[in-house]
Each structure stands twice: as structure tokens, then as C-alpha cells.
Amino acid sequence: MTERITDRFSDEERFSFPDYMARVTSGIGGESFLIFGGEKTALYDCGMAYAQSGLIRNIEKELSERGYETLDYVLLSHTHYDHIGALPYILKRWPSVKVCGAEKALQVFKSKGAAATMARLGEAAKERYASSEEEKSCKIIADGLRCDIVMHEGDALELGDMTVRAYETKGHTDCSLTYMLEPVMTMLASESTGVLRSDGKMYTAILKSYEQTMESAEKCKALKPALIIGNHFGKVPEDITEKYFDLYMEAAREEHDFIVDMKERGLSHEEMVREYEKIYWTVERAKSQPKEAFYENANWIIKNMK
């Protein structure tokens, strides 16, 4: 794994957002950010199912305090359980909200297997991270999911003073999207271009394609964001914004070479998973990712790396 990027990762700095954005995250494991566009609002990702009650309260509080009547859109970065776990509950609270995601999301939401995986990992997260009685008693559901607006490359949503533009950034999943808030040029980065964690290190999550994730990083770099909001993290320190995607590509190349070397040495899949765990399972990672989910990801990363 790449060396620590910086030591400056206080929660105060990570979650100190511009006035058009608020952190509404509840629980551990998945971040959610509410965007205020002047006329309409958009929620970026929904976090974990077990923490849905707290998330909804946080959204209601921010809407009320800022004079907005409702939640208009949900922006999905992708369709994994730690990003859409609370979506079924959001849809019950705001039935008219429009869910925006990639075309692949339509297929995922029709899959019984995907729903079963989301429920299973949601239960694992609840067992590992739920702290209050409310969270511990939450019934994990993974049905009723929908995507109302399919976002393709360059598609835009008008929020009033602000436009949300989508970019396809595959690599982590086939449904991964990055969003740019214009004209402020704030990028909501997808997991295809890494996860910066509070231990100061860049983590990769190349579940589908190494080539695609590198293409996604180059695309995002070329867009020249003024500010980056990272999946599972928050506001990226401004002094590393310009080199953020270079740092990601360095970490991705390191992981690629590590796995390819194991394959060339003839290690079995089980041996490779054990070696991968030694390097990439960390105390910091355990703070927000159940080990069951880590193993699920590791199996796909090793299988698909070429």
C-alpha cells in the first residue's frame, strides 16, 4: 500500500463543507451529503440501512433549517449496500423523490441475488457497527429499489443556481458515476478512483477492471475540479486536490503489480486472498468496513485483476 499521503485528516477539516452542502451521515460505514442548489435539493448516497432513522432525521433537520420543503433527488454513486442501504427507507419517507443513477442500476435493482447480497452485508454491518437500540432493532430491507432518472455521460440536472453533471467512471463497478457541481466545480468522486481514509492512505477498490479505473482517474483529473468530495471520506484537503488522481493511480498500479506477481508465481486463489489481507486489511479499514465485505471485495479484485 502507498505511504501515508498527509497527517492532516481531522473530522473538522473533512466535514467543513461550503454552504451549499451538508453532511447528513448517520452511523458508521457510509457517507451521505445533502446538496442545496437554490431551488432544489439532492442527496448524494444514502449510507447504511441500519442507520436510516438517524439519516432521515438529519435530512429533515437540514431541510427545515435552510427553508427547503422536500428532498428532490437522490444521486447514486453506485449500487453497493453501504451506499444505497438506506434508500428503501428514503423512498418511504419521500415517495416523490427522483433517484438518479447509471443505466446498470436498473439491472441491479431487478436482481434477487443483488438484493440478497445487500441484505446480508447490511446485517453484517448492523451487527458490527450498530450502537443504539434504534439501530440494533432496525429491520434490514433491500426491496422497492428504483432508479427514476438514468444518467449517462454528460447528462445534467438543474437545481436552480447549480447544475449537477454526471460522468461515467467504471472500474469499481459498472454503475459507478462521478458528479460535478457546476459552476463551483466541486466533484463528488466515485469509488472507482479510490477511497482516501483518515489514516492518511489511499485505498483502491478495483472490483471490475484495472484498465477502466485508470481511464476513470485520467478523466476525472482532466476535469480539473476545484474541490473533491471523496467517497467514505469527505472534503479532500485542498493542497492535494491537484494531485489526488495521480496519487490514486500510483496506488492502483501498486495493487495491480502485487496481485499480478502473485498470479505469475502460481499462488492459489486462497493463498492470494491471505497475502492480500496481510497488506490491505488495516485497523483503519475495520472502522468502517465489516470483514465479510472486505473478503467479498478481495475475491473479486483478485479474480478480475489482469
Side-chain angles (χ1 to χ4, degrees):
M1 188 185 300
T2 54
E3 295 298 316
R4 185 185 301 271
I5 296 169
T6 178
D7 293 317
R8 296 192 307 101
F9 285 107
S10 69
D11 284 352
E12 182 179 0
E13 181 181 27
R14 288 168 57 202
F15 304 132
S16 177
F17 295 127
D19 58 8
Y20 53 80
M21 186 179 297
R23 181 179 185 247
V24 290
T25 303
S26 182
I28 296 171
E31 291 290 333
S32 299
F33 308 114
L34 190 56
I35 302 159
F36 305 93
E39 296 177 7
K40 296 185 178 182
T41 61
L43 178 69
Y44 174 68
D45 278 347
C46 304
M48 295 284 201
Y50 78 87
Q52 53 88 18
S53 292
L55 172 68
I56 289 172
R57 284 195 298 272
N58 290 344
I59 295 171
E60 290 173 336
K61 177 176 179 292
E62 290 291 342
L63 291 176
S64 176
E65 290 182 352
R66 295 176 186 244
Y68 287 82
E69 293 183 358
T70 190
L71 179 63
D72 296 294
Y73 298 105
V74 173
L75 308 175
L76 303 181
S77 69
H78 62 293
T79 57
H80 280 170
Y81 80 107
D82 49 342
H83 296 262
I84 64 167
L87 181 57
Y89 312 89
I90 292 287
L91 294 176
K92 289 183 177 181
R93 172 61 183 84
W94 290 281
S96 63
V97 71
K98 299 299 183 184
V99 181
C100 309
E103 188 167 4
K104 180 71 173 181
L106 298 174
Q107 180 180 336
V108 172
F109 290 163
K110 292 178 181 178
S111 169
K112 293 182 178 179
T117 297
M118 191 168 84
R120 173 172 53 82
L121 295 177
E123 289 286 356
K126 181 174 76 168
E127 182 177 347
R128 174 69 176 82
Y129 301 118
S131 57
S132 68
E133 286 304 315
E134 180 180 58
E135 292 177 346
K136 292 175 182 177
S137 63
C138 176
K139 181 180 179 181
I140 305 298
I141 58 174
D143 54 9
L145 296 169
R146 67 174 198 255
C147 180
D148 304 301
I149 301 175
V150 173
M151 304 290 283
H152 296 103
E153 182 79 10
D155 285 351
L157 290 173
E158 299 298 333
L159 302 183
D161 300 331
M162 191 174 296
T163 298
V164 179
R165 195 170 304 278
Y167 295 92
E168 297 175 359
T169 47
K170 298 181 179 182
H172 178 60
T173 68
D174 289 335
C175 60
S176 292
L177 292 175
T178 290
Y179 300 95
M180 184 76 88
L181 307 182
E182 302 172 352
V184 293
M185 299 304 285
T186 293
M187 178 179 284
L188 305 171
S190 83
E191 210 161 324
S192 289
T193 52
V195 176
L196 190 61
R197 296 189 184 273
S198 56
D199 60 358
K201 297 179 181 179
M202 179 73 79
Y203 291 73
T204 61
I206 310 169
L207 303 185
K208 298 293 290 188
S209 167
Y210 173 71
E211 290 75 16
Q212 286 180 337
T213 197
M214 297 299 268
E215 290 172 3
S216 293
E218 290 285 7
K219 177 191 292 188
C220 291
K221 178 182 176 181
L223 291 171
K224 299 185 182 300
L227 184 67
I228 299 173
I229 308 298
N231 261 200
H232 294 290
F233 183 74
K235 187 175 74 174
V236 172
E238 294 178 17
D239 61 348
I240 66 170
T241 297
E242 289 189 6
K243 57 185 177 182
Y244 181 85
F245 296 105
D246 289 327
L247 293 167
Y248 170 71
M249 288 186 280
E250 178 185 347
R253 282 190 290 268
E254 183 178 297
E255 180 175 275
H256 170 271
D257 293 347
F258 172 67
I259 294 173
V260 169
D261 176 69
M262 289 194 292
K263 290 185 175 183
E264 290 177 347
R265 290 190 284 119
L267 273 65
S268 69
H269 182 81
E270 291 71 22
E271 290 172 328
M272 287 189 283
V273 170
R274 288 196 294 270
E275 291 302 310
Y276 186 88
E277 179 183 358
K278 291 177 184 178
I279 301 296
Y280 290 100
W281 179 251
T282 65
V283 172
E284 184 62 31
R285 200 163 198 160
K287 292 179 181 178
S288 59
Q289 184 181 43
K291 203 162 191 179
E292 183 177 0
F294 170 81
Y295 283 134
E296 185 107 7
N297 286 357
N299 282 318
W300 285 108
I301 291 168
I302 291 168
K303 177 184 177 181
N304 291 328
M305 193 71 76
K306 298 176 183 178

